[in-house]
Amino acid sequence: MTVTGPAAERPADPADRPAEGPGTDLAEQVHRDPAAHRVLTGDRPTGPLHLGHYFGTLQNRVRLQRLGVEMFVVVADYQVITDRDIADRLAEHSENLVLDYLAAGLDPDRATIFAHSAVPALNQLLLPFLSLVSVAELGRNPTVKDEIAHSSQAAVNGLMFTYPVHQAADILFCKANLVPVGQDQLPHLEVARTVARRFNERYPHPDGTGVFPRPEALLSAAPLLLGTDGGKMSKSRGNAVSLSADEDTTARLIRGARTDTERRISYDPAGRPEVSSLVLLAALCQDRAPEQIAEELGDGGGAALKRTVTESVNEYLRPIRARRTEFAADRGYIRQVLRDGAERANAVADATLAEVRAVMGSV
Ligand code: ATP
Ligand code: MG
């Protein structure tokens, strides 16, 4: 089966440049030299992907793929049990994740899509990596603290503290130097950078280069899209609008989104986070500036804002949802994508592990 449609195949043009938050010219660098970059990203198979995923990272992945950047996408199945006792409906969630990827435009011929648990050599990196970070460093991680606060588990397990190091292994096994992520992932990226630097220092390569690159985060224009309750939109917090939701469900969820009592619509992310997140969502779907959307809505109030957002989202997602329905008809193909991805990822992980063992002096 081939991926067709607007998000899947278009020639690279300046508008396809990966969007990025303020601060660096990383997106420019990638655009100038796509071959110098390798991407690793991924998601936990804990439920359907939502708008936060799409505008936070997935859209950038598709743009990077279109530029020809080599890409690895991990279905982070072991990470599901960080904040829950069992990984509920793991195979189903993993396959649905792949469906969402394909619908959004990831092409398994160009992107290696694999499950974390299917690549044993990758997980062997965890042992040396864990030795490179202190317990105090693991305990300070703000994203881990936030996730603990939202977890329904009675006790916090060890994996909750060590999973950022797992993620470092996910990124570094394939020597990725570019990681398109949402804002919550920045502390984890810092762990990966620290692990790479310390490993290279402790186990120098005979030729003077380090085994691992220092990966950089690529943020989008929506690094923290808010959910209907005003908190980070998350699969497991009951506040998300799924990419695969139908149009009526989308309308109902957006109608229930938290706003404020002021009628005048403005784009002021710091002062009015909920209203501004909705304005930004409409802007991203319409590929326009959020200030312009706010200006147009003027004194229309929350109801008009939500109508605009609903229409924009449903229109934007229509081709993606249609493609998803097509792909969903062939579950065998989805499983084949994961098998092929695991084969490719295993070859890369075996090679990296061999290098790691050599510089560490293992037999
Ligand atoms: P869970 O609730 O199970 O943790 P999640 O919605 O937080 O799910 P993850 O699988 O943890 O999703 O995150 C996958 C990727 O999506 C990460 O790069 C993360 O930064 C990004 N992401 C998740 N939620 C948002 C959001 N609301 N805005 C922007 N990016 C997001
Ligand atoms: Mg999460």
Side-chain angles (χ1 to χ4, degrees):
M1 191 186 282
T2 43
V3 185
T4 53
E9 280 300 343
R10 264 183 293 165
D13 74 50
D16 284 339
R17 200 160 297 183
E20 188 194 17
T24 79
D25 63 349
L26 186 55
E28 280 298 329
Q29 277 175 33
V30 178
H31 203 256
R32 270 199 306 275
D33 191 3
H37 295 85
R38 184 182 266 189
V39 164
L40 177 291
T41 51
D43 310 274
R44 304 203 304 162
T46 45
L49 291 186
H50 51 65
L51 290 165
H53 293 115
Y54 189 82
F55 290 112
T57 140
L58 197 46
Q59 189 184 45
N60 262 349
R61 299 179 199 175
V62 175
R63 286 170 168 157
L64 290 163
Q65 172 187 271
R66 222 179 275 143
L67 287 174
V69 177
E70 196 180 356
M71 182 153 351
F72 289 77
V73 184
V74 60
V75 174
D77 48 0
Y78 272 138
Q79 267 190 38
V80 174
I81 47 175
T82 51
D83 60 0
R84 55 201 82 196
D85 296 328
I86 53 157
D88 190 33
R89 297 188 290 151
L90 192 54
E92 184 189 328
H93 283 321
S94 298
E95 287 174 22
N96 286 342
L97 200 52
V98 178
L99 263 180
D100 284 334
Y101 292 157
L102 302 189
L106 285 183
D107 174 359
D109 289 336
R110 290 189 275 175
T112 298
I113 302 172
F114 65 99
H116 185 176
S117 64
V119 187
L122 183 172
N123 291 305
Q124 282 211 46
L125 298 179
L126 190 60
L127 286 138
F129 284 5
L130 272 174
S131 77
L132 297 167
V133 289
S134 70
V135 171
E137 283 172 321
L138 293 175
R140 276 202 291 272
N141 188 309
T143 295
V144 168
K145 285 184 184 163
D146 180 58
E147 287 168 346
I148 289 171
H150 283 89
S151 162
S152 54
Q153 276 188 315
V156 181
N157 67 40
L159 186 57
M160 182 57 111
F161 285 98
T162 57
Y163 89 81
V165 185
H166 246 285
Q167 272 190 217
D170 296 347
I171 295 166
L172 295 175
F173 95 93
C174 63
K175 303 194 181 180
N177 55 5
L178 188 63
V179 191
V181 282
Q183 185 173 291
D184 61 309
Q185 292 295 311
L186 292 182
H188 301 350
L189 239 295
E190 221 29 67
V191 173
R193 290 166 62 78
T194 301
V195 164
R197 179 174 53 78
R198 290 183 187 162
F199 187 93
N200 292 344
E201 281 166 8
R202 191 166 298 176
Y203 306 108
H205 211 276
D207 69 8
T209 62
V211 171
F212 295 112
R214 290 191 76 190
E216 293 197 64
L218 181 72
L219 290 179
S220 76
L224 180 62
L225 197 77
L226 301 185
T228 51
D229 62 355
K232 171 189 160 319
M233 187 178 285
S234 293
K235 293 188 223 89
S236 38
R237 296 183 192 178
N239 65 358
V241 179
S242 304
L243 301 179
S244 53
D246 61 40
E247 298 200 357
D248 289 345
T249 307
T250 302
R252 180 175 53 75
L253 292 170
I254 292 172
R255 235 184 351 260
R258 181 188 294 187
T259 50
D260 55 37
T261 50
E262 203 180 312
R263 278 205 70 78
R264 179 140 201 100
I265 301 303
S266 59
Y267 183 63
D268 170 16
R272 303 178 74 189
E274 296 96 348
V275 164
S276 300
S277 197
L278 286 170
V279 171
L280 178 62
L281 190 49
L284 289 165
C285 291
Q286 294 185 29
D287 200 14
R288 293 168 66 206
E291 292 81 0
Q292 224 182 342
I293 304 279
E295 178 75 30
E296 252 170 38
L297 285 162
D299 289 323
L305 169 62
K306 289 173 183 180
R307 270 196 305 279
T308 296
V309 173
T310 301
E311 278 164 26
S312 311
V313 167
N314 278 337
E315 189 172 323
Y316 188 89
L317 291 180
R318 210 163 286 137
I320 293 178
R321 287 169 169 165
R323 258 200 313 274
R324 195 181 193 283
T325 307
E326 277 176 43
F327 281 117
D330 190 355
R331 288 267 161 185
Y333 174 69
I334 301 295
R335 286 192 282 273
Q336 190 58 44
V337 166
L338 283 167
R339 272 196 297 275
D340 292 347
E343 197 177 314
R344 298 207 295 260
N346 270 300
V348 173
D350 288 344
T352 302
L353 183 60
E355 255 185 278
V356 163
R357 288 163 56 87
V359 294
M360 290 181 74
S362 308
V363 285

